[in-house]
Structures are given as structure tokens and as C-alpha cells.
Amino acid sequence: MSSVEKKRLRDRRAQQNLRSKRSQQMAVLEKEVAHCREHHDDHGIQRLLQVITGLREQNKALRSHQERLKCLVNSWDASPVEVPTNTQEPRDQSLPGSIAIPGGLMNNIDSSSNPIQSSRNNTPRDDPNPSSLRLGGELSHQQVPHTQTLSREPPTTDTSLIWKQLPLHADNFLDPRTISCPWLEYPERIALCPNSPSSPLDLLYGTNTNYLADMIYKATQRRPIRDPERLAMGWLCYHLTRWVVSPSPATYANLPLFLRPVPDQLQITHPMVLDNIPWPQLRVNLIRHWDVLRDIRDDVFGLFSCCVKIRWPWGEGILERNSDNELCIKEKFFETFMSEAGWGLTPEFMQRYPQLLAGVDLGAIAYELVDKEFYQGEK
């Protein structure tokens, strides 16, 4: 080969090597870009920033709690004159053992450091042994143990701070596998939703403008629920979730009295999904026996969704048009499901799980279905 041909061959090899290195570098860069788009989107960054903010607030609260403990220990050696007379401070539900996730979502980390959880051990209560709970159809003749009647308002020294007392949830919002309500996977998106749905149609048929209402609609689609129950239960779940995510006097005021937490919800760690049950005593029974019910939760909630009913005339509409010609909830229907007396439970659930109804006024919640077509035919 001549010198010119050798030079051309060297140039071709150099160009080929350059193109090969460039293609390899491009492949590496494309892979890195795809990884960043998958794992570092705006939602993920916002979620991490809110977790960091919650951890900072927790550290601040723990430091304040530590300073109070130091003052208390130092006061032991002081003379009676030097000991401060007022050592009690208002309890803050956001103090030890909780991570503040947007607005108010709380995960229990150390229940021994939580003053509410610790006080539970010293509170006398007639609590049936969960290990003795037997479930099945053979329980219709079993004696139901007596359960203490609950007070509807949690104990507090200042009624203006009741809205701050959040239930003690076991859901770890950093781990989607532990979340009991499917719509809580992105709490930062719930914080951006309005305090109430703009239209009842969002809960009945879904929406692209309200994340929380759309997720609740999709969750209710899993069960054979009529429109009255779908709208009523969706409305309660929506406002309860908004209060838990963003606790304030305004969001708390949207809750009906029977859905507000009772003492056991503040003292016993439990999944958040149990807080959506309309009857306080039934919520307490589920919380106390959750260790037994956890493995059969799909059976329990599947039957419950079929048996819970609104006391509303069969076939009567639940929506009406307002002065702006927009569909809204009928005032009478709204008053019905916002009252505990407006909810009923069919006998199938009572016969299957009688222990869960201990302490519940069965006559007040019993609801008998009437076959409408048979009734009209007889008439």
C-alpha cells in the first residue's frame, strides 16, 4: 500500500472509533435521562420536600419537649418555693412520635413517647379479648359481651382545639403498601383539593379536576353500591380525608358529629380506613379486634359495603337543580346522610359478625330491604 492509502485507512479507523465512542456516550446519556424522568419528577421532589419539612417540624417539637423535661428534672432539687406552680401545658397532637406530612397526616413512630397512647394503659375499659373473637355463621346464639357506651366528643380541656386531635393511624405514608385508603398515596395532591367537591357528579361519575373526588369514585367502583350510598359515603370520606390532611376549624366543621373521632380512635393505632365507618361504636369494635380481622378484611368490607344503606325512598332522586341550573344534592337527602339516624345496616352483616355490633343499638341501625317490584305487584 502506498503512503496515501495507509493514511486514508488510518483516518477511516479513527473516524470509526470516534463514531463508536460517540454512540456509546449517547446511549449512556439517554439511559441517565430516562432514569431521571422516571425517578425525579416534580411530584416525587415535592413529596420529598414535604417529608423533609415534616422531619424538621418533628425535630423542633422534640427539642422543645426535651427542654421541658430538663426543666422538670431540674425542678426536683429545687425548694417548693422555686418549683413553678403551672407545669401543665396544652397537648399538641403533632408532638412526639409523629411525622407531620402535608397539613396534618401523622405516622406513629414511637407510641411510648406519645402522651395520648401512654395514657391508654392507665385507662380502665371493658375490652373483650380479641383472641376470643370467633367469626362465622355459627355465632347467632353466642352471647355478645357488653361494651362500654362511648362519649361522642374526645376528652379535651379546650374545646377550641378539638380540631387538632387527629386519630392515631397505622398507615405509613412513605410506604404505599401500608396505606389502607387507596386515595392517600399522594397526600400532597389532596392538600391542593378544595374543602368540598364542586359538584356531586365528581363523586358519582369521576372527574379530571379533583384528584381526591376522582380517587374515591374509583375506589367505590370496586363494590356493588347504589348511587345514594356511593354519593353519601363518598361525601363523608372526602371531608374526613380533607380534615386529616389539612386539619383546621373549617375542615373539622364539615364533619358530621357521628364521624368525629371518639377516644379509642385517638388512643389505639389503627388503619385510617376504619375511621370512615358511620357508627362510632362499630368503629371502636373494629379497631379493638383488628388483629383478628386483618387477614379477612376484604370479606368484612365486601359484605359491609353491600349491607350499609341510606334510609332514602327507593327510586327517589338524590339530585336537583339550583338557581344556576347546576345539579346539586337535594337538601333532604343531604340532611339524611349527615345524620347518624339516616344510616342503616341490613341483617346479613349482623348475623355474620355479631361481635362487631357489641354495644350497638341494633334496633336503631337495623334496616330491612323490601323488594320494590314484588311490593308493587302485590299492591
Side-chain angles (χ1 to χ4, degrees), residues 200-211:
L201 300 180
D202 295 348
L203 296 169
L204 286 173
Y205 305 109
T207 175
N208 293 327
T209 60
N210 189 322
Y211 167 79

Side-chain angles (χ1 to χ4, degrees), residues 52-348:
I52 292 173
T53 302
L55 290 173
R56 288 175 177 172
E57 294 179 359
Q58 183 197 20
N59 290 336
K60 182 179 178 181
L62 289 174
R63 285 195 296 268
S64 176
H65 189 60
Q66 184 181 19
E67 291 299 326
R68 291 200 298 270
L69 288 176
K70 287 182 179 179
C71 294
L72 180 61
V73 172
N74 293 335
S75 67
W76 290 350
D77 297 330
S79 61
V81 179
E82 298 175 353
V83 177
T85 57
N86 184 16
T87 60
Q88 295 183 351
E89 297 185 7
R91 292 180 178 177
D92 189 348
Q93 193 78 344
S94 65
L95 283 178
S98 301
I99 297 178
I101 298 193
L105 284 175
M106 304 171 65
N107 298 328
N108 186 280
I109 296 179
D110 185 4
S111 60
S112 61
S113 62
N114 192 319
I116 297 179
Q117 178 71 6
S118 301
S119 64
R120 174 176 169 262
N121 298 329
N122 300 325
T123 304
R125 182 175 65 244
D126 182 13
D127 189 359
N129 185 6
S131 62
S132 63
L133 180 64
R134 297 170 54 202
L135 301 175
E138 60 182 358
L139 300 173
S140 57
H141 301 289
Q142 185 173 357
Q143 184 177 2
V144 177
H146 173 71
T147 303
Q148 183 179 358
T149 303
L150 297 172
S151 60
R152 294 305 171 88
E153 292 292 342
T156 180
T157 56
D158 188 354
T159 55
S160 63
L161 300 178
I162 293 180
W163 60 269
K164 289 186 176 181
Q165 298 183 351
L166 298 177
L168 200 59
H169 294 142
D171 301 60
N172 179 7
F173 297 98
L174 302 180
D175 185 0
R177 295 173 298 178
T178 66
I179 297 177
S180 58
C181 296
W183 52 85
L184 287 172
E185 186 173 356
Y186 297 102
E188 67 276 4
R189 299 183 64 179
I190 297 177
L192 302 177
C193 295
N195 286 345
S196 292
S198 58
S199 170
L201 300 180
D202 295 348
L203 296 169
L204 286 173
Y205 305 109
T207 175
N208 293 327
T209 60
N210 189 322
Y211 167 79
L212 179 56
D214 189 60
M215 290 299 293
I216 292 177
Y217 159 74
K218 292 178 180 178
T220 57
Q221 285 294 301
R222 297 176 53 205
R223 309 291 186 185
I225 306 175
R226 299 186 310 159
D227 282 353
E229 285 76 27
R230 188 185 312 280
L231 178 57
M233 187 61 70
W235 187 272
L236 298 185
C237 292
Y238 185 98
H239 289 88
L240 178 65
T241 305
R242 282 291 297 130
W243 170 63
V244 172
V245 173
S246 303
S248 67
T251 55
Y252 183 78
N254 288 331
L255 298 179
L257 293 178
F258 63 85
L259 202 64
R260 295 177 181 179
V262 294
D264 278 52
Q265 293 175 254
L266 304 176
Q267 299 168 2
I268 304 177
T269 304
H270 61 279
M272 183 181 173
V273 67
L274 301 182
D275 296 330
N276 297 302
I277 304 298
W279 298 281
Q281 185 62 60
L282 182 55
R283 290 199 299 268
V284 169
N285 294 340
L286 285 167
I287 290 172
R288 293 182 181 180
H289 300 303
W290 186 244
D291 290 340
V292 178
L293 300 171
R294 182 182 289 107
D295 294 336
I296 58 172
R297 55 176 295 173
D298 289 339
D299 295 336
V300 175
F301 287 116
L303 182 60
F304 179 80
S305 64
C306 297
C307 294
V308 63
K309 302 296 179 183
I310 294 292
R311 301 183 187 277
W312 186 249
W314 184 276
E316 185 171 337
I318 57 178
L319 303 178
E320 62 183 0
R321 294 193 178 275
N322 56 19
S323 57
D324 297 327
N325 200 32
E326 298 174 342
L327 284 174
C328 60
I329 302 176
K330 278 189 176 182
E331 183 177 356
K332 185 64 176 178
F333 180 68
F334 182 81
E335 294 174 354
T336 300
F337 71 75
M338 289 294 284
S339 169
E340 184 177 353
W343 292 83
L345 197 62
T346 60
E348 289 81 4

